Amino acid sequence: MWGGGKLGSSGGWFLRVLGPGGRNTKAARHLISSAVYVKNQLSWILQIKPRVFNEYRTMWFKSYRTTFSCLNRIKSFRYRWARLYSTSQTTVDSGEVKTFLALAHKWWDEQGIYAPLHSMNDLRVPFIRDNLLKTIPNHQPGKPLFGMKILDVGCGGGLLTEPLGRLGASVIGIDPVDENIKTAQCHKSFDPVLDKRIEYRVCSLEEIVEETAETFDAVVASEVVEHVIDLETFLQCCCQVLKPSGSLFITTINKTQLSYALGIVFSEQIAGIVPKGTHTWEKFVSPETLESILESNGLSVQTVVGMLYNPFSGYWHWSENTSLNYAAHAVKSGVQEHPMSAEFAFKGETEELQANARTNPAVHEELKK
């Protein structure tokens, strides 16, 4: 009975299992039908399932790409929003803060690592004083800067802040390093006069821009711009806190091959004039770059002059060469005259001439011409 059936390999297997005579016929038929179903199912899986799997795989990858595309868009929008409305923007380099934090107790050692800055006062203090006196019609003897408000940015231990205070100015010194300000406050406390004229704050420039907008007659950033991480933002803040016609004073290092050779290789690595890692050549700025940024922010550069330091004598002197250090003085543009006020002034002059013409025949004839 089973010999004539074409059951294939599955049927033959079942015949061998049941043995001769075909015992348990009902059970055998059930097993055979199951085997045929399994065979057909297996054939469907082998022939059709790959195509179905490929379709599902394509759909899954499309869904994957769509999902991550949306996530990336959300991330980019979040970044733009944070960049536009973030209040944590800073020009302070945390690495620079650590460097100066370790040296905070050495500011007033005139023979130590800050000796060049002590000596630099012989140039930068008169440079600031003389340029500010050009804007003061009358000044008091002994206190030539009396009545002027000056902001000393990156004041450190107060090496420049104190001489400006002794000239009569009211000076605010700011520095992001807490230990620097503690050293500066401790040193000024020995002089009751300076204690009244000088105020120190632990902060960055951008943190006080809003509260001190157009407050200062002068802003001083001496040996500072080569340490900030965002020069343009820093100079914008300097401009914002200046009064119209106020002065900005900067001393810094030019970005030249000579400044790298002498300012970093020699001064830091060979002679040890300043500690290693104090300066980063990429942060140095040329006078041309500085002037370009200042002019774009409404500041007109008045003077750029070179400064040279003699490591053997320990003194600075002025130079026409700006390849190494240089000092710059810029002035913020004043309040522009309103067009209407100019028109009224013209009318006033015209009316005055007409009044003179009525009483003076010579003026009357001149107006006719």
Side-chain angles (χ1 to χ4, degrees):
M1 178 173 110
W2 297 105
K6 297 182 179 179
L7 298 176
S9 60
S10 298
W13 179 78
F14 281 114
L15 287 175
R16 287 194 297 274
V17 170
L18 292 173
R23 294 184 300 272
N24 300 324
T25 304
K26 186 175 181 180
R29 287 177 179 174
H30 176 71
L31 288 174
I32 291 171
S33 61
S34 299
V36 171
Y37 173 78
V38 170
K39 179 180 179 182
N40 292 338
Q41 185 73 9
L42 180 61
S43 176
W44 181 81
I45 291 173
L46 294 176
Q47 296 177 14
I48 302 176
K49 195 67 174 178
R51 180 175 61 83
V52 175
F53 174 73
N54 287 337
E55 291 179 359
Y56 276 103
R57 182 176 62 180
T58 302
M59 293 174 61
W60 185 81
F61 275 114
K62 287 182 178 179
S63 175
Y64 174 86
R65 287 196 300 268
T66 303
T67 302
F68 275 82
S69 175
C70 292
L71 289 175
N72 286 332
R73 289 181 181 179
I74 293 172
K75 184 178 179 181
S76 65
F77 284 132
R78 184 181 64 180
Y79 170 74
R80 292 174 187 172
W81 181 270
R83 183 176 60 182
L84 288 173
Y85 295 94
S86 175
T87 58
S88 61
Q89 185 181 17
T90 181
T91 62
V92 178
D93 190 328
S94 58
E96 301 275 3
V97 170
K98 292 179 181 178
T99 299
F100 287 100
L101 179 62
L103 305 172
H105 62 288
K106 299 183 178 181
W107 279 105
W108 288 98
D109 181 3
E110 296 187 15
Q111 306 301 322
I113 59 173
Y114 288 120
L117 292 183
H118 283 274
S119 178
M120 187 184 287
N121 279 353
D122 294 340
L123 295 188
R124 57 184 178 177
V125 173
F127 181 73
I128 296 169
R129 179 199 62 201
D130 295 345
N131 280 288
L132 288 180
L133 287 179
K134 296 176 183 178
T135 64
I136 303 175
N138 298 307
H139 59 272
Q140 297 184 20
K143 295 188 292 183
L145 300 184
F146 179 79
M148 302 205 76
K149 296 188 67 175
I150 300 177
L151 177 66
D152 186 8
V153 184
C155 63
L159 269 60
L160 181 57
T161 318
E162 289 195 7
L164 295 176
R166 289 192 179 94
L167 291 174
S170 297
V171 190
I172 294 179
I174 63 172
D175 198 284
V177 182
D178 180 59
E179 293 300 319
N180 286 348
I181 294 299
K182 289 180 180 178
T183 299
Q185 288 176 331
C186 178
H187 196 270
K188 75 150 184 175
S189 65
F190 295 105
D191 189 332
V193 175
L194 290 181
D195 207 27
K196 295 178 180 178
R197 295 179 186 171
I198 295 176
E199 176 188 351
Y200 288 114
R201 300 183 189 179
V202 182
C203 64
S204 62
L205 175 58
E206 54 271 16
E207 290 175 333
I208 63 167
V209 166
E210 292 186 4
E211 64 177 279
T212 60
E214 296 191 351
T215 297
F216 299 99
D217 299 288
V219 173
V220 179
S222 184
E223 307 305 297
V224 173
V225 299
E226 67 270 24
H227 298 290
V228 301
I229 58 175
D230 189 343
L231 179 60
E232 292 194 18
T233 299
F234 179 82
L235 294 177
Q236 287 173 4
C237 293
C238 288
C239 181
Q240 291 175 29
V241 299
L242 271 177
K243 294 178 180 178
S245 302
S247 292
L248 172 63
F249 297 95
I250 293 175
T251 66
T252 187
I253 309 174
N254 199 345
K255 191 175 184 180
T256 61
Q257 293 180 350
L258 185 61
S259 69
Y260 177 78
L262 296 181
I264 294 180
V265 177
F266 177 77
S267 298
E268 295 186 14
Q269 301 176 8
I270 298 176
I273 299 174
V274 292
K276 291 182 179 180
T278 301
H279 296 111
T280 303
W281 186 79
E282 287 76 15
K283 290 184 178 180
F284 291 176
V285 56
S286 67
E288 294 78 15
T289 301
L290 182 66
E291 183 173 357
S292 175
I293 299 174
L294 292 176
E295 288 185 348
S296 66
N297 286 280
L299 288 156
S300 175
V301 176
Q302 306 294 308
T303 307
V304 175
V305 58
M307 305 168 66
L308 290 179
Y309 178 69
N310 187 332
F312 302 104
S313 66
Y315 290 104
W316 291 83
H317 64 271
W318 295 114
S319 171
E320 295 181 357
N321 189 343
T322 60
S323 298
L324 291 172
N325 296 70
Y326 65 93
H329 171 221
V331 175
K332 183 177 180 179
S333 58
V335 180
Q336 295 182 350
E337 186 179 26
H338 196 279
M340 290 297 291
S341 62
E343 181 181 349
F344 288 140
F346 178 75
K347 285 183 177 179
E349 291 178 359
T350 304
E351 291 174 356
E352 185 179 356
L353 285 173
Q354 289 176 348
N356 290 335
R358 297 190 190 100
T359 58
N360 192 334
V363 174
H364 182 71
E365 293 297 327
E366 188 67 24
L367 287 174
K368 283 184 176 181
K369 293 179 182 180

